[in-house]
Amino acid sequence: MIKTRFAPSPTGNLHIGGARTALFNWLYARHMKGVFVLRIEDTDVERSKDEYTKAILDGLEWLGIDWDEGPFFQADRMDIYREHAFRLLETGHAYKCYCSAETLEEKRGIAVKEGRKPAYDRTCRNAIPAADRDGRPFVIRFKTPISGAVAFDDMVRGRITFQCEELDDLVILRSDTTPTYNFTVVIDDALMGITHIIRGDDHINNTPRQIVIYEALGYPMPLFAHVPLIHGKDKARLSKRHGATSLIEYKNDGFHPEAFMNYLARLGWAHGDQEVFSREELIDHFDLANVGKSPAIFDIDKLTWLNGHYMKTLPESIVAERLAPFLQEMGHGTLAIDKLIPIVAILKERAKTLLEMARMAAFFFGDEVPYEEAARTKFLTPDTKPVLERFLAGFKALPSLDEEEQKALVEQITEEIQKKLVAVAQPVRVALTGRTVSPGIFEVITILGREQVEKRLKRAIESIN
């Protein structure tokens, strides 16, 4: 059975690259009807934080990625790693290194001066073992083959070969008995039965080191797939200078999880020319054969366009549910979803994000809508006051808020004052919304309701000197 995993470190929020790695592993497992495992690699005690673990779990759940096993925490598995390190000592695949930090730094300095790679020179590899060297601290290093080559068939990049002379004897257990990344990842992937490791191509150099550990421990070798990293439009590796890199920031900016999943999947993978995919379509079509070899370019404009598509096509009730927290954050209190659905209906063609929609919808809430200065100066004047007064009087007399009756009232006033419709509509729009641009004025009136419309018209009239 196919088994993939996502193994983030809780030393920061879940970023876009990590989210895509999780998505590719999840999609491949779901496509192959396999198992997806979540593992938290929290062996870095100083930098790992519970708040980051929560952010990772919340981010995956928001994106719509569920897991079949886990989350497993490496901090709970320390005894397993230590047992494996000493097992390698016993089988001659590892050795104790007593070189101090100062000695290692001195060796590195000499190597750099001589133009050599500053790798450990294996001083302790062939030293005659002494009984604990008088209790001196030691690390355990893996005894990497000195000659030959390590090769593997990458599912994205094809055959990749490393010469053993390029590799060093990496530390697998530090002097404080904490294990290192390349060691723990092999043990966990082996014991958890991971069959396919899909990760960023910044891990390619780690792969030969991990392969030789697999071989030394006698564990089955998984298949590897290294996907290109995500770059900004300037072709540099994606970073904060390109904009938000944390997944949670995009949630807070009002992007839909469906849009973000869709966009992430297309960062480095394609299915013909199709751009818009449902969750089910992604699972049906995703494969590693169509993952590209070139870096994917993150384009916020394309993501925003795609999110706009979902703003229009998702059920209005779902958009309304997601809109409510943004309005609450703006101070508009708890709002009934059924009251928000008509607002969504008239704004969904305009707003590209939930945050943008919330800002557009703000004028619907509260008794005293703020006026934009330019709008107030131009349309709430002594000249427009009679127009607003006529509209208020006529509006009070309307038997209902039927749109045709509203339209007839506006047309009647334009005939009386012998001006164009805009001469009535714009002062009314500013009085009701505080701005010169809004959805259709008749739709706005219907949503606001009779009492609120009359209250706002009176306030606007009274504000004019």
Side-chain angles (χ1 to χ4, degrees):
M1 177 183 287
I2 298 296
K3 202 170 189 182
T4 66
R5 51 76 164 171
F6 177 53
S9 297
T11 55
N13 289 317
L14 181 60
H15 56 79
I16 293 170
R20 188 193 61 170
T21 297
L23 179 60
F24 278 17
N25 278 279
W26 179 81
L27 285 174
Y28 191 67
R30 293 290 175 264
H31 176 73
M32 301 297 292
K33 295 180 170 51
V35 174
F36 176 64
V37 178
L38 177 61
R39 183 173 73 234
I40 305 298
E41 299 192 336
D42 56 348
T43 55
D44 188 338
V45 178
E46 291 185 3
R47 296 174 60 215
S48 295
K49 291 183 169 48
D50 290 342
E51 64 193 79
Y52 293 137
T53 298
K54 184 178 185 305
I56 290 169
L57 299 180
D58 290 347
L60 293 176
E61 289 178 356
W62 172 73
L63 196 55
I65 294 177
D66 55 348
W67 46 92
D68 305 300
E69 295 181 10
F72 300 107
F73 294 85
Q74 285 190 330
D76 299 332
R77 299 168 60 80
M78 291 296 188
D79 288 344
I80 297 174
Y81 309 133
R82 293 175 187 128
E83 186 274 326
H84 278 75
F86 281 93
R87 184 193 305 178
L88 290 176
L89 270 180
E90 292 171 4
T91 59
H93 290 99
Y95 60 94
K96 295 178 180 179
C97 175
Y98 293 89
C99 296
S100 66
E102 293 77 17
T103 299
L104 293 174
E105 188 60 38
E106 183 180 342
K107 290 176 182 290
R108 277 191 285 267
I110 294 172
V112 170
K113 283 182 181 179
E114 295 178 353
R116 294 183 286 109
K117 184 178 177 180
Y120 178 60
D121 63 3
R122 299 184 166 100
T123 298
C124 296
R125 178 171 174 137
N126 298 313
I128 298 174
D132 288 332
R133 297 281 183 102
D134 300 322
R136 287 161 53 193
F138 61 87
V139 301
I140 296 180
R141 289 182 180 273
F142 183 77
K143 195 177 287 187
T144 302
I146 295 175
S147 61
V150 179
F152 63 98
D153 293 309
D154 191 279
M155 297 181 72
V156 173
R157 296 182 171 274
R159 189 74 170 172
I160 299 176
T161 302
F162 287 85
Q163 299 302 315
C164 288
E165 61 188 31
E166 299 174 10
L167 309 177
D168 55 1
D169 287 359
L170 74 156
V171 174
I172 58 175
L173 199 70
R174 302 182 184 92
S175 58
D176 63 359
T177 74
T178 59
T180 57
Y181 166 75
N182 277 308
F183 186 52
T184 60
V185 72
V186 169
I187 296 167
D188 284 338
D189 286 339
L191 296 183
M192 293 177 186
I194 305 302
T195 62
H196 291 69
I197 296 175
I198 306 168
R199 57 190 180 187
D201 63 12
D202 52 337
H203 282 282
I204 286 179
N205 288 338
N206 289 327
T207 306
R209 295 178 171 86
Q210 294 167 11
I211 286 175
V212 292
I213 295 175
Y214 272 104
E215 291 174 341
L217 289 169
Y219 285 135
M221 197 73 62
L223 296 175
F224 295 92
H226 292 92
V227 301
L229 299 181
I230 302 172
H231 288 183
K233 285 186 177 181
D234 60 358
K235 306 298 176 66
R237 185 171 174 174
L238 194 67
S239 65
K240 288 185 177 180
R241 65 189 177 87
H242 295 109
T245 58
S246 168
L247 186 67
I248 206 69
E249 291 180 73
Y250 288 92
K251 177 186 178 183
N252 294 339
D253 284 342
F255 287 87
H256 287 290
E258 295 87 351
F260 213 88
M261 175 181 281
N262 188 160
Y263 185 71
L264 278 184
R266 289 285 289 109
L267 281 179
W269 171 81
H271 178 71
D273 295 327
Q274 187 172 343
E275 290 288 349
V276 179
F277 295 84
S278 67
R279 174 190 174 102
E280 292 71 24
E281 286 176 321
L282 287 174
I283 292 173
D284 285 344
H285 298 310
F286 186 84
D287 59 13
L288 293 172
N290 286 325
V291 172
K293 297 181 181 180
S294 301
I297 304 300
F298 185 83
D299 185 344
I300 186 63
D301 294 329
K302 192 169 184 179
L303 170 60
T304 303
W305 168 83
L306 190 59
N307 200 68
H309 166 80
Y310 282 91
M311 293 289 288
K312 299 183 188 77
T313 57
L314 282 171
E316 291 168 359
S317 58
I318 290 179
V319 178
E321 287 178 7
R322 294 174 180 174
L323 176 65
F326 288 88
L327 291 167
Q328 289 171 1
E329 186 70 22
M330 295 169 66
H332 298 305
T334 303
L335 303 166
I337 301 303
D338 60 340
K339 297 290 180 62
L340 293 180
I341 290 176
I343 295 174
V344 170
I346 67 171
L347 292 177
K348 66 181 184 179
E349 296 291 335
R350 296 166 173 260
K352 294 292 190 297
T353 68
L354 292 164
L355 180 58
E356 186 180 25
M357 181 177 278
R359 289 169 177 166
M360 288 180 177
F363 71 81
F364 283 108
F365 309 97
D367 292 334
E368 296 193 358
V369 61
Y371 304 125
E372 292 178 352
E373 185 59 29
R376 184 191 62 78
T377 301
K378 186 173 182 179
F379 292 106
L380 298 184
T381 68
D383 290 338
T384 63
K385 187 174 183 179
V387 173
L388 291 171
E389 290 173 335
R390 289 189 189 190
F391 185 85
L392 175 58
F395 182 78
K396 287 181 176 180
L398 290 180
S400 73
L401 295 187
D402 180 79
E403 189 170 313
E404 290 302 317
E405 291 184 8
Q406 296 179 45
K407 188 175 180 181
L409 173 60
V410 172
E411 289 174 347
Q412 176 189 333
I413 297 173
T414 57
E415 287 180 13
E416 291 174 2
I417 64 177
Q418 296 185 338
K419 291 186 178 180
K420 295 181 179 180
L421 186 143
V422 69
V424 178
Q426 280 301 82
V428 171
R429 187 189 309 278
V430 174
L432 298 181
T433 71
R435 56 188 79 166
T436 57
V437 178
S438 76
I441 192 63
F442 304 131
E443 295 172 306
V444 169
I445 289 172
T446 301
I447 292 173
L448 283 174
R450 189 179 293 276
E451 180 182 351
Q452 192 62 235
V453 169
E454 292 180 10
K455 186 181 294 186
R456 293 188 183 191
L457 286 169
K458 289 176 183 176
R459 175 172 171 258
I461 292 168
E462 291 169 359
S463 72
I464 300 173
N465 294 325

